[in-house]
Amino acid sequence: SQKIEQNSEALNIQEGKTATLTCNYTNYSPAYLQWYRQDPGRGPVFLLLIRENEKEKRKERLKVTFDTTLKQSLFHITASQPADSATYLCALVLSGGYNKLIFGAGTRLAVHP
Amino acid sequence: DSGVTQTPKHLITATGQRVTLRCSPRSGDLSVYWYQQSLDQGLQFLIQYYNGEERAKGNILERFSAQQFPDLHSELNLSSLELGDSALYFCASSVEGIGLAGLRDNEQFFGPGTRLTVL
């Protein structure tokens, strides 16, 4: 069956450390993958997009990798801050011409001072 | 602020009733998407409209329907409501939702959501 898996347990890290979140997928062939941030009771906010032919993307303190052989994306936040505490969602976009997003369940990140 | 507006913010109703959720996309965005987010199901794609036409369907129940009007705002109609329909409903918009030569890898801008409670 098709699955998108993200760490179901919350990730707790100390301020200043690097947070690494994982997104694994099964039986999908995404054309690209997006990462969103969601705060409680609010809509997701787009962070980064990475295409299937790209290995790595960076934006400020954020870095995303995409390994289509392992069927995995890693999302890194360097020099993390308490303000980075939120739920992070990965979303696959499949080939087919439409921009439909298939979301993982998300990983809750808590950055402690 | 994403530029996407949704009304109402909260809706409390009873089982068997019908409600309408409204979404106004960002200025210039032709695509509108509806998502349902519940605690046990996560964020689920329901349906997409592009410039007034339905483009893609996800896990949308037959009791639910949507449309996009000429001014590009969209409505999601939920009927014969059940307790399990209680959830956050998000609308999102993007510049384009159609792939031509290839995919349009556009980010989606989400609205603040409508929290529906069915009692």
Side-chain angles (χ1 to χ4, degrees):
Chain A
S1 62
Q2 295 175 315
K3 283 191 297 188
I4 304 173
E5 291 179 313
Q6 295 186 252
N7 305 20
S8 57
E9 294 180 11
L11 180 63
N12 291 282
I13 64 166
Q14 211 62 33
E15 182 176 8
K17 301 292 186 187
T18 296
T20 299
L21 285 66
T22 305
C23 176
N24 294 300
Y25 58 92
T26 309
N27 293 327
Y28 281 114
S29 295
Y32 58 94
L33 191 148
Q34 299 184 6
W35 282 87
Y36 286 78
R37 169 186 171 139
Q38 186 174 25
D39 291 285
R42 309 192 71 168
V45 175
F46 172 81
L47 296 174
L48 276 173
L49 175 155
I50 186 165
R51 297 180 182 82
E52 60 177 339
N53 60 349
E54 297 174 322
K55 292 238 184 295
E56 182 179 297
K57 249 325 183 25
R58 290 175 186 262
K59 179 183 173 183
E60 297 171 356
R61 294 185 295 113
L62 308 180
K63 184 178 88 170
V64 172
T65 63
F66 193 9
D67 188 326
T68 54
T69 302
L70 290 179
K71 296 188 183 297
Q72 181 182 77
S73 175
L74 298 178
F75 177 79
H76 306 272
I77 306 175
T78 58
S80 58
Q81 305 164 1
D84 295 326
S85 299
T87 295
Y88 291 85
L89 305 165
C90 73
L92 306 184
V93 180
L94 307 180
S95 57
Y98 304 128
N99 205 18
K100 180 175 80 172
L101 294 176
I102 303 172
F103 281 91
T107 297
R108 193 158 53 86
L109 172 68
V111 181
H112 302 284
Chain B
D1 183 2
S2 66
V4 178
T5 60
Q6 289 187 248
T7 56
K9 285 188 179 176
H10 302 278
L11 202 44
I12 301 175
T13 188
T15 54
Q17 295 298 305
R18 172 190 167 94
V19 297
T20 297
L21 282 54
R22 195 179 193 278
C23 167
S24 292
R26 290 188 325 154
S27 176
D29 284 358
L30 298 179
S31 271
V32 168
Y33 312 79
W34 286 97
Y35 293 87
Q36 178 193 57
Q37 188 172 39
S38 56
L39 282 173
D40 57 344
Q41 290 288 321
L43 200 57
Q44 300 282 319
F45 169 75
L46 296 178
I47 196 164
Q48 177 202 355
Y49 278 83
Y50 175 78
N51 203 21
E53 293 187 8
E54 182 185 303
R55 283 302 178 186
K57 255 184 174 178
N59 302 321
I60 187 165
L61 300 171
E62 285 191 13
R63 300 183 285 109
F64 296 0
S65 65
Q67 53 184 328
Q68 187 180 28
F69 296 87
D71 66 353
L72 301 177
H73 90 271
S74 178
E75 291 180 356
L76 179 67
N77 301 296
L78 315 177
S79 61
S80 302
L81 285 167
E82 302 175 0
L83 296 178
D85 298 327
S86 295
L88 264 171
Y89 290 84
F90 289 105
C91 164
S93 73
S94 69
V95 173
E96 281 187 60
I98 290 182
L100 297 174
L103 284 174
R104 298 295 186 220
D105 50 4
N106 300 301
E107 64 185 278
Q108 293 186 17
F109 295 86
F110 282 77
T114 293
R115 182 174 293 280
L116 173 66
T117 302
V118 182
L119 301 175

CSV table of all heavy atoms in Angstrom, one decimal, chain A residues 58-103:
chain,number,residue,atom,x,y,z
A,58,ARG,N,18.7,24.4,-0.2
A,58,ARG,CA,18.9,25.2,1.1
A,58,ARG,C,18.2,26.5,1.0
A,58,ARG,O,18.0,27.1,0.0
A,58,ARG,CB,20.4,25.5,1.3
A,58,ARG,CG,21.3,24.3,1.6
A,58,ARG,CD,22.7,24.6,1.6
A,58,ARG,NE,23.6,23.5,1.8
A,58,ARG,CZ,24.1,23.1,3.0
A,58,ARG,NH1,23.8,23.8,4.1
A,58,ARG,NH2,24.8,22.0,3.1
A,59,LYS,N,17.8,26.9,2.2
A,59,LYS,CA,17.2,28.3,2.3
A,59,LYS,C,17.4,28.7,3.7
A,59,LYS,O,16.9,28.2,4.7
A,59,LYS,CB,15.7,28.2,2.1
A,59,LYS,CG,15.0,29.5,2.2
A,59,LYS,CD,13.5,29.3,2.0
A,59,LYS,CE,12.7,30.6,2.2
A,59,LYS,NZ,11.2,30.4,2.1
A,60,GLU,N,18.3,29.7,3.9
A,60,GLU,CA,18.7,30.2,5.2
A,60,GLU,C,19.1,29.1,6.1
A,60,GLU,O,20.1,28.3,5.8
A,60,GLU,CB,17.6,31.0,5.8
A,60,GLU,CG,17.3,32.3,4.9
A,60,GLU,CD,16.0,33.0,5.3
A,60,GLU,OE1,15.3,32.5,6.2
A,60,GLU,OE2,15.7,34.0,4.7
A,61,ARG,N,18.5,28.9,7.2
A,61,ARG,CA,18.9,27.8,8.1
A,61,ARG,C,18.3,26.4,7.8
A,61,ARG,O,18.5,25.4,8.5
A,61,ARG,CB,18.5,28.2,9.6
A,61,ARG,CG,19.2,29.4,10.1
A,61,ARG,CD,18.9,29.6,11.6
A,61,ARG,NE,17.5,30.0,11.8
A,61,ARG,CZ,16.6,29.2,12.4
A,61,ARG,NH1,16.9,28.1,12.9
A,61,ARG,NH2,15.3,29.6,12.5
A,62,LEU,N,17.5,26.3,6.7
A,62,LEU,CA,16.9,25.1,6.3
A,62,LEU,C,17.6,24.4,5.2
A,62,LEU,O,18.2,25.0,4.3
A,62,LEU,CB,15.4,25.4,5.9
A,62,LEU,CG,14.6,26.3,6.8
A,62,LEU,CD1,13.2,26.5,6.1
A,62,LEU,CD2,14.4,25.6,8.1
A,63,LYS,N,17.6,23.1,5.3
A,63,LYS,CA,18.2,22.3,4.2
A,63,LYS,C,17.3,21.0,4.0
A,63,LYS,O,16.9,20.4,5.0
A,63,LYS,CB,19.6,21.8,4.6
A,63,LYS,CG,20.3,21.0,3.4
A,63,LYS,CD,21.7,20.7,3.8
A,63,LYS,CE,21.8,19.3,4.5
A,63,LYS,NZ,23.2,18.9,4.7
A,64,VAL,N,17.0,20.7,2.8
A,64,VAL,CA,16.3,19.5,2.5
A,64,VAL,C,17.1,18.6,1.5
A,64,VAL,O,17.7,19.1,0.6
A,64,VAL,CB,14.9,19.9,1.8
A,64,VAL,CG1,14.2,18.6,1.3
A,64,VAL,CG2,14.0,20.6,2.7
A,65,THR,N,17.0,17.3,1.8
A,65,THR,CA,17.6,16.4,0.8
A,65,THR,C,16.6,15.4,0.3
A,65,THR,O,15.5,15.3,1.0
A,65,THR,CB,18.8,15.6,1.5
A,65,THR,OG1,18.2,14.8,2.6
A,65,THR,CG2,19.9,16.5,2.0
A,66,PHE,N,16.8,14.9,-0.8
A,66,PHE,CA,15.8,14.0,-1.4
A,66,PHE,C,16.5,12.8,-2.1
A,66,PHE,O,17.3,13.0,-3.0
A,66,PHE,CB,15.0,14.8,-2.5
A,66,PHE,CG,13.8,14.2,-3.0
A,66,PHE,CD1,13.2,13.0,-2.5
A,66,PHE,CD2,13.1,14.7,-4.1
A,66,PHE,CE1,12.0,12.5,-3.0
A,66,PHE,CE2,12.0,14.2,-4.6
A,66,PHE,CZ,11.4,13.1,-4.0
A,67,ASP,N,16.3,11.6,-1.6
A,67,ASP,CA,16.9,10.4,-2.1
A,67,ASP,C,15.9,9.5,-2.7
A,67,ASP,O,15.2,8.8,-1.9
A,67,ASP,CB,17.7,9.7,-1.0
A,67,ASP,CG,18.6,8.6,-1.5
A,67,ASP,OD1,18.2,7.9,-2.5
A,67,ASP,OD2,19.7,8.4,-1.0
A,68,THR,N,15.7,9.5,-4.0
A,68,THR,CA,14.6,8.7,-4.6
A,68,THR,C,15.0,7.2,-4.6
A,68,THR,O,14.0,6.4,-4.8
A,68,THR,CB,14.4,9.2,-6.1
A,68,THR,OG1,15.6,9.1,-6.8
A,68,THR,CG2,13.9,10.6,-6.1
A,69,THR,N,16.2,6.9,-4.4
A,69,THR,CA,16.5,5.5,-4.2
A,69,THR,C,16.1,4.9,-2.9
A,69,THR,O,15.5,3.9,-2.8
A,69,THR,CB,18.1,5.2,-4.4
A,69,THR,OG1,18.5,5.7,-5.7
A,69,THR,CG2,18.4,3.8,-4.3
A,70,LEU,N,16.4,5.7,-1.9
A,70,LEU,CA,16.0,5.3,-0.5
A,70,LEU,C,14.5,5.7,-0.3
A,70,LEU,O,13.9,5.2,0.7
A,70,LEU,CB,16.8,6.1,0.5
A,70,LEU,CG,18.3,5.6,0.7
A,70,LEU,CD1,19.0,6.5,1.7
A,70,LEU,CD2,18.4,4.2,1.1
A,71,LYS,N,13.9,6.5,-1.2
A,71,LYS,CA,12.6,7.0,-1.0
A,71,LYS,C,12.4,7.7,0.3
A,71,LYS,O,11.6,7.5,1.2
A,71,LYS,CB,11.6,5.8,-1.1
A,71,LYS,CG,11.5,5.1,-2.4
A,71,LYS,CD,10.4,4.2,-2.5
A,71,LYS,CE,10.4,3.4,-3.8
A,71,LYS,NZ,10.2,4.3,-5.0
A,72,GLN,N,13.3,8.7,0.5
A,72,GLN,CA,13.4,9.4,1.7
A,72,GLN,C,13.8,10.9,1.5
A,72,GLN,O,14.6,11.2,0.6
A,72,GLN,CB,14.5,8.8,2.6
A,72,GLN,CG,14.6,9.4,4.0
A,72,GLN,CD,15.7,8.7,4.8
A,72,GLN,OE1,16.9,8.9,4.6
A,72,GLN,NE2,15.3,7.9,5.7
A,73,SER,N,13.2,11.8,2.3
A,73,SER,CA,13.7,13.2,2.4
A,73,SER,C,14.0,13.5,3.8
A,73,SER,O,13.3,13.1,4.7
A,73,SER,CB,12.6,14.1,1.9
A,73,SER,OG,12.9,15.4,2.0
A,74,LEU,N,15.1,14.2,4.0
A,74,LEU,CA,15.5,14.7,5.3
A,74,LEU,C,15.4,16.2,5.3
A,74,LEU,O,15.7,16.9,4.3
A,74,LEU,CB,16.9,14.3,5.6
A,74,LEU,CG,17.2,12.8,5.7
A,74,LEU,CD1,18.7,12.5,6.0
A,74,LEU,CD2,16.3,12.1,6.7
A,75,PHE,N,14.9,16.7,6.4
A,75,PHE,CA,14.7,18.2,6.6
A,75,PHE,C,15.5,18.6,7.8
A,75,PHE,O,15.3,18.1,8.9
A,75,PHE,CB,13.2,18.5,6.8
A,75,PHE,CG,12.8,19.9,7.0
A,75,PHE,CD1,12.8,20.8,6.0
A,75,PHE,CD2,12.6,20.3,8.3
A,75,PHE,CE1,12.4,22.1,6.2
A,75,PHE,CE2,12.2,21.7,8.6
A,75,PHE,CZ,12.2,22.6,7.5
A,76,HIS,N,16.4,19.5,7.6
A,76,HIS,CA,17.3,20.0,8.6
A,76,HIS,C,17.1,21.4,9.0
A,76,HIS,O,16.9,22.3,8.1
A,76,HIS,CB,18.8,19.8,8.2
A,76,HIS,CG,19.1,18.5,7.7
A,76,HIS,ND1,19.6,17.5,8.6
A,76,HIS,CD2,19.1,17.9,6.5
A,76,HIS,CE1,19.8,16.4,7.9
A,76,HIS,NE2,19.6,16.6,6.6
A,77,ILE,N,17.0,21.7,10.3
A,77,ILE,CA,17.0,23.1,10.7
A,77,ILE,C,18.3,23.3,11.6
A,77,ILE,O,18.4,22.7,12.6
A,77,ILE,CB,15.8,23.5,11.6
A,77,ILE,CG1,14.5,23.1,10.9
A,77,ILE,CG2,15.8,24.9,12.0
A,77,ILE,CD1,13.3,23.3,11.7
A,78,THR,N,19.2,24.1,11.1
A,78,THR,CA,20.4,24.4,11.8
A,78,THR,C,20.3,25.5,12.8
A,78,THR,O,19.4,26.4,12.6
A,78,THR,CB,21.6,24.7,10.9
A,78,THR,OG1,21.3,25.8,10.1
A,78,THR,CG2,21.9,23.5,9.9
A,79,ALA,N,21.1,25.5,13.8
A,79,ALA,CA,21.0,26.6,14.8
A,79,ALA,C,19.6,26.8,15.3
A,79,ALA,O,19.1,28.0,15.2
A,79,ALA,CB,21.6,27.9,14.3
A,80,SER,N,18.9,25.8,15.7
A,80,SER,CA,17.5,25.9,16.0
A,80,SER,C,17.2,26.8,17.1
A,80,SER,O,18.0,27.1,18.0
A,80,SER,CB,16.9,24.5,16.3
A,80,SER,OG,17.6,23.9,17.4
A,81,GLN,N,16.0,27.4,17.0
A,81,GLN,CA,15.5,28.4,18.0
A,81,GLN,C,14.2,27.9,18.5
A,81,GLN,O,13.4,27.2,17.9
A,81,GLN,CB,15.4,29.7,17.3
A,81,GLN,CG,16.6,30.2,16.6
A,81,GLN,CD,16.4,31.4,15.7
A,81,GLN,OE1,15.3,31.8,15.5
A,81,GLN,NE2,17.4,31.8,15.0
A,82,PRO,N,13.8,28.4,19.7
A,82,PRO,CA,12.5,28.0,20.3
A,82,PRO,C,11.3,28.4,19.3
A,82,PRO,O,10.3,27.7,19.2
A,82,PRO,CB,12.4,28.8,21.6
A,82,PRO,CG,13.8,28.9,22.0
A,82,PRO,CD,14.6,29.1,20.8
A,83,ALA,N,11.5,29.5,18.5
A,83,ALA,CA,10.5,29.9,17.6
A,83,ALA,C,10.3,28.9,16.4
A,83,ALA,O,9.4,29.0,15.7
A,83,ALA,CB,10.9,31.3,17.0
A,84,ASP,N,11.3,27.9,16.3
A,84,ASP,CA,11.1,26.9,15.3
A,84,ASP,C,10.2,25.8,15.7
A,84,ASP,O,9.9,24.9,14.9
A,84,ASP,CB,12.5,26.3,14.9
A,84,ASP,CG,13.5,27.2,14.3
A,84,ASP,OD1,13.0,28.1,13.5
A,84,ASP,OD2,14.7,27.1,14.6
A,85,SER,N,9.8,25.8,17.0
A,85,SER,CA,8.9,24.8,17.5
A,85,SER,C,7.5,24.8,16.8
A,85,SER,O,6.9,25.9,16.7
A,85,SER,CB,8.6,25.0,19.0
A,85,SER,OG,9.8,24.9,19.7
A,86,ALA,N,7.2,23.7,16.2
A,86,ALA,CA,6.0,23.6,15.3
A,86,ALA,C,5.9,22.2,14.8
A,86,ALA,O,6.7,21.4,15.1
A,86,ALA,CB,6.0,24.6,14.1
A,87,THR,N,4.8,21.9,14.1
A,87,THR,CA,4.7,20.6,13.4
A,87,THR,C,5.2,20.8,11.9
A,87,THR,O,4.8,21.8,11.3
A,87,THR,CB,3.3,20.1,13.4
A,87,THR,OG1,2.9,19.8,14.7
A,87,THR,CG2,3.2,18.8,12.6
A,88,TYR,N,6.0,19.9,11.4
A,88,TYR,CA,6.6,20.0,10.1
A,88,TYR,C,6.0,18.9,9.3
A,88,TYR,O,6.1,17.7,9.6
A,88,TYR,CB,8.1,20.0,10.1
A,88,TYR,CG,8.6,21.3,10.7
A,88,TYR,CD1,8.8,21.4,12.1
A,88,TYR,CD2,9.0,22.4,9.9
A,88,TYR,CE1,9.2,22.6,12.7
A,88,TYR,CE2,9.4,23.5,10.5
A,88,TYR,CZ,9.6,23.6,11.9
A,88,TYR,OH,10.0,24.8,12.4
A,89,LEU,N,5.4,19.2,8.1
A,89,LEU,CA,4.7,18.3,7.3
A,89,LEU,C,5.5,18.1,6.0
A,89,LEU,O,5.9,19.1,5.4
A,89,LEU,CB,3.3,18.8,6.9
A,89,LEU,CG,2.4,19.1,8.1
A,89,LEU,CD1,1.2,19.9,7.6
A,89,LEU,CD2,1.9,17.8,8.7
A,90,CYS,N,5.7,16.9,5.5
A,90,CYS,CA,6.2,16.7,4.2
A,90,CYS,C,5.0,16.4,3.3
A,90,CYS,O,4.0,15.8,3.7
A,90,CYS,CB,7.3,15.6,4.1
A,90,CYS,SG,6.7,13.9,4.2
A,91,ALA,N,5.1,16.8,2.0
A,91,ALA,CA,4.0,16.5,1.1
A,91,ALA,C,4.6,16.1,-0.3
A,91,ALA,O,5.5,16.8,-0.8
A,91,ALA,CB,3.2,17.8,0.9
A,92,LEU,N,4.0,15.0,-0.8
A,92,LEU,CA,4.5,14.6,-2.1
A,92,LEU,C,3.6,15.2,-3.2
A,92,LEU,O,2.4,15.3,-3.0
A,92,LEU,CB,4.4,13.1,-2.2
A,92,LEU,CG,5.1,12.2,-1.1
A,92,LEU,CD1,5.0,10.8,-1.5
A,92,LEU,CD2,6.6,12.6,-1.0
A,93,VAL,N,4.2,15.4,-4.3
A,93,VAL,CA,3.4,15.8,-5.5
A,93,VAL,C,3.7,14.8,-6.6
A,93,VAL,O,4.9,14.6,-6.9
A,93,VAL,CB,3.7,17.2,-6.0
A,93,VAL,CG1,2.8,17.5,-7.3
A,93,VAL,CG2,3.5,18.2,-5.0
A,94,LEU,N,2.7,14.1,-7.0
A,94,LEU,CA,2.9,13.0,-8.0
A,94,LEU,C,2.9,13.5,-9.4
A,94,LEU,O,2.3,14.6,-9.7
A,94,LEU,CB,1.8,12.0,-7.8
A,94,LEU,CG,1.6,11.4,-6.4
A,94,LEU,CD1,0.4,10.4,-6.4
A,94,LEU,CD2,2.8,10.8,-5.9
A,95,SER,N,3.5,12.8,-10.3
A,95,SER,CA,3.4,13.2,-11.7
A,95,SER,C,1.9,13.0,-12.2
A,95,SER,O,1.2,12.2,-11.6
A,95,SER,CB,4.3,12.3,-12.5
A,95,SER,OG,4.0,11.0,-12.4
A,96,GLY,N,1.6,13.7,-13.2
A,96,GLY,CA,0.2,13.6,-13.7
A,96,GLY,C,-0.4,15.0,-14.0
A,96,GLY,O,-1.5,15.1,-14.6
A,97,GLY,N,0.4,16.0,-13.8
A,97,GLY,CA,0.0,17.3,-14.3
A,97,GLY,C,-0.8,18.2,-13.3
A,97,GLY,O,-1.0,19.4,-13.6
A,98,TYR,N,-1.1,17.7,-12.2
A,98,TYR,CA,-1.9,18.5,-11.2
A,98,TYR,C,-1.1,18.6,-9.9
A,98,TYR,O,-0.2,17.9,-9.6
A,98,TYR,CB,-3.2,17.8,-10.9
A,98,TYR,CG,-4.0,17.6,-12.1
A,98,TYR,CD1,-4.6,16.4,-12.4
A,98,TYR,CD2,-4.2,18.6,-13.1
A,98,TYR,CE1,-5.3,16.2,-13.6
A,98,TYR,CE2,-4.9,18.4,-14.2
A,98,TYR,CZ,-5.5,17.2,-14.5
A,98,TYR,OH,-6.2,17.0,-15.6
A,99,ASN,N,-1.4,19.7,-9.2
A,99,ASN,CA,-0.6,20.1,-8.1
A,99,ASN,C,-1.1,19.5,-6.7
A,99,ASN,O,-0.9,20.1,-5.7
A,99,ASN,CB,-0.6,21.6,-8.0
A,99,ASN,CG,0.6,22.2,-7.3
A,99,ASN,OD1,1.6,21.5,-7.1
A,99,ASN,ND2,0.5,23.4,-6.9
A,100,LYS,N,-1.8,18.4,-6.8
A,100,LYS,CA,-2.4,17.8,-5.6
A,100,LYS,C,-1.3,17.3,-4.6
A,100,LYS,O,-0.3,16.7,-5.0
A,100,LYS,CB,-3.2,16.5,-6.0
A,100,LYS,CG,-3.9,15.8,-4.9
A,100,LYS,CD,-4.8,14.7,-5.4
A,100,LYS,CE,-4.0,13.5,-5.7
A,100,LYS,NZ,-4.9,12.4,-6.1
A,101,LEU,N,-1.4,17.7,-3.4
A,101,LEU,CA,-0.4,17.4,-2.4
A,101,LEU,C,-0.9,16.2,-1.6
A,101,LEU,O,-2.1,16.2,-1.2
A,101,LEU,CB,-0.2,18.6,-1.4
A,101,LEU,CG,0.5,19.8,-2.0
A,101,LEU,CD1,0.5,20.9,-1.0
A,101,LEU,CD2,1.9,19.5,-2.5
A,102,ILE,N,0.0,15.3,-1.3
A,102,ILE,CA,-0.3,14.2,-0.4
A,102,ILE,C,0.6,14.3,0.8
A,102,ILE,O,1.8,14.2,0.7
A,102,ILE,CB,-0.1,12.8,-1.1
A,102,ILE,CG1,-0.9,12.7,-2.4
A,102,ILE,CG2,-0.4,11.7,-0.1
A,102,ILE,CD1,-0.6,11.5,-3.2
A,103,PHE,N,0.0,14.6,2.0
A,103,PHE,CA,0.7,14.9,3.1
A,103,PHE,C,1.0,13.8,4.0
A,103,PHE,O,0.3,12.8,4.2
A,103,PHE,CB,-0.1,15.9,4.0
A,103,PHE,CG,0.0,17.4,3.5
A,103,PHE,CD1,-1.0,17.8,2.6
A,103,PHE,CD2,1.0,18.2,3.9
A,103,PHE,CE1,-0.9,19.1,2.1
A,103,PHE,CE2,1.0,19.5,3.5
A,103,PHE,CZ,0.1,20.0,2.6
